[in-house]
Amino acid sequence: MRVFVTGGTGLIGSAVVAELLGNGHTVLALARSDASALVAEAAGAEPLRGGLADLDILRAGVAQADGVIHLAFANDFSSPDALAKAVAEESAALATLGEELVGSDRPFVTVSGTPYAPDRASTEADPLPTDGPVGGRGRAVTAVLGLAARGVRSTAVRMPRTVHNQGTGGFAGLLTGIARQTGVSGYPGDGAQRWPAVHALDAAVLFRLALEQAPAGTSWHAVADEGDKVRDIAAVIGRRLGLPVESVPSETYGPLGPIFATDQPSSSTHTRQALGWEPKHPCLLEDLENIQP
């Protein structure tokens, strides 16, 4: 299959591109800069110059592909306005990609986060949130899944709070970065809230399986660790960086503060059973031992 991938040079995207190429697919990768284009080429993909806001470029990418995997996101959490802008940009891109695929029966795999379920681990059957700081992403992905009724084999791979590789990535990576800046390895509240996690290389396998096998309108959980306590994550970070570990105000985390403070364990039982996905790489707490002082 020739697959058009957005976000193909990031932590998750580079793993997905390698997984696709290693399993007989070819890749057309959206590249927003010359540097990204060189990275895509070095990985064995064909670059397509343009960004997520270049809707005509996105249409051209779809026209050249047998399927689409969307991973790109601005990842600007510096302020509520910046986050809202990133969500709006992605929403417009998803709508454009989806419209180009209508009636083709081609696969369209998009990405979201695992949802919150009160007092239990969320499952693939739980709806995505459509309010809050990232509610717009939930609305956009829900619309993509709705394209199943219009001849698109649309699916969503839901990513946990931390997608990691060699000690970097995801919300745990943000905790590490803030710890380096502030001199404290912090956690919000009492730190008993749980975050699910997955290794990027395991997540990449699930994206490929969804592309190849997933029925239209379905959602899947790329969850290897159902939920690590945030204070346990902070403890490893603090030990690796030689910093004190303590509770800090949720405002420390800007617009992500409410999300950071929430207990959000998640299950992937259905995903494993239905698609035969089985994580094989190190868990989060083990991988964080790769953090360098």
Side-chain angles (χ1 to χ4, degrees):
M1 209 183 293
R2 181 168 167 82
V3 187
F4 178 41
V5 178
T6 73
T9 58
L11 176 81
I12 304 169
S14 57
V16 169
V17 168
E19 175 70 19
L20 293 171
L21 294 172
N23 284 273
H25 301 287
T26 59
V27 174
L28 177 67
L30 186 70
R32 65 185 176 193
S33 67
D34 290 339
S36 291
L38 290 173
V39 170
E41 279 188 324
E46 177 189 341
L48 177 66
R49 277 301 311 272
L52 208 54
D54 300 320
L55 302 184
D56 286 340
I57 298 294
L58 298 184
R59 295 183 184 100
V62 174
Q64 301 175 55
D66 303 308
V68 176
I69 295 179
H70 165 72
L71 295 163
F73 188 68
N75 282 323
D76 187 346
F77 305 114
S78 60
S79 70
D81 285 347
L83 181 56
K85 182 180 177 183
V87 170
E89 179 183 72
E90 182 189 43
S91 298
L94 284 173
T96 299
L97 293 167
E99 282 299 321
E100 288 300 300
L101 289 163
V102 165
S104 69
D105 290 320
R106 285 177 285 173
F108 181 15
V109 185
T110 189
V111 64
S112 75
T114 52
Y116 165 71
D119 304 317
R120 62 173 174 84
S122 65
T123 73
E124 296 85 347
D126 288 312
L128 292 175
T130 54
D131 53 12
V134 292
R137 297 194 83 184
R139 294 191 294 272
V141 171
T142 300
V144 167
L145 295 178
L147 294 171
R150 299 178 63 200
V152 181
R153 187 160 65 80
S154 55
T155 64
V157 175
R158 297 171 172 183
M159 307 302 285
R161 294 291 159 262
T162 293
V163 184
H164 57 92
N165 192 354
Q166 292 297 305
T168 64
F171 280 11
L174 290 176
L175 288 184
T176 304
I178 292 169
R180 291 185 191 277
Q181 292 168 8
T182 63
V184 173
S185 180
Y187 53 84
D190 64 4
Q193 64 272 40
R194 293 161 293 172
W195 289 353
V198 69
H199 196 288
L201 297 178
D202 287 320
V205 174
L206 183 54
F207 276 98
R208 176 180 60 80
L209 292 173
L211 177 84
E212 295 171 347
Q213 303 177 23
T218 53
S219 297
W220 309 95
H221 279 192
V223 174
D225 311 344
E226 191 165 290
D228 294 307
K229 291 180 180 178
V230 178
R231 64 173 177 245
D232 292 340
I233 297 170
V236 179
I237 294 169
R239 180 165 49 75
R240 293 299 301 164
L241 297 180
L243 296 175
V245 181
E246 57 193 58
S247 177
V248 297
S250 61
E251 298 78 54
T252 304
Y253 307 109
L256 291 176
I259 299 173
F260 272 33
T262 304
D263 184 47
Q264 292 189 320
S266 188
S267 163
S268 59
T269 300
H270 171 67
T271 296
R272 297 178 193 228
Q273 292 173 346
L275 293 182
W277 178 65
E278 197 57 52
K280 298 175 180 173
H281 291 87
C283 68
L284 174 60
L285 296 181
E286 183 181 342
D287 197 20
L288 289 176
E289 296 293 345
N290 288 298
I291 294 173
Q292 298 301 312

